[in-house]
Amino acid sequence: MKTEANISITQKELPSGNCQVKFFIEDETKPMYGYLLTSEPKPVGEIIAEIQERMYRRKTLSSANPISLTNPVKEDHNFYLFSA
């Protein structure tokens, strides 16, 4: 998990009651942005920790075989990450 990257976020409450978090990861080598859907508004520190944890989990799972029938990788439909 890379913690040196600068992560900035904006939160938006949705009509469903969920909270959509748009985040930007300002990294000189690989800038990224994405979205995180949470069930309720959370403090900024908790959101950044959750983003870092999900990125670490995604990196760990991507090193595994994604098309394995014995250990399939589940999609995380509440976390989206894109290259900027």
Side-chain angles (χ1 to χ4, degrees), residues 34-50:
Y35 297 92
L36 172 67
L37 183 66
T38 63
S39 58
E40 60 188 17
K42 296 181 181 182
V44 173
E46 274 186 46
I47 291 172
I48 290 175
E50 185 171 345

Side-chain angles (χ1 to χ4, degrees), residues 13-68:
E13 192 165 336
L14 302 174
S16 65
N18 290 334
C19 185
Q20 178 190 50
V21 178
K22 183 174 184 178
F23 60 91
F24 297 93
I25 301 170
E26 299 167 16
D27 187 341
E28 290 180 13
T29 57
K30 190 175 182 183
M32 295 181 275
Y33 71 98
Y35 297 92
L36 172 67
L37 183 66
T38 63
S39 58
E40 60 188 17
K42 296 181 181 182
V44 173
E46 274 186 46
I47 291 172
I48 290 175
E50 185 171 345
I51 290 168
Q52 291 174 333
E53 192 271 327
R54 287 181 186 233
M55 287 179 60
Y56 177 76
R57 191 177 337 146
R58 179 174 280 190
K59 183 178 179 182
T60 304
L61 290 175
S62 70
S63 64
N65 185 358
I67 57 173
S68 170

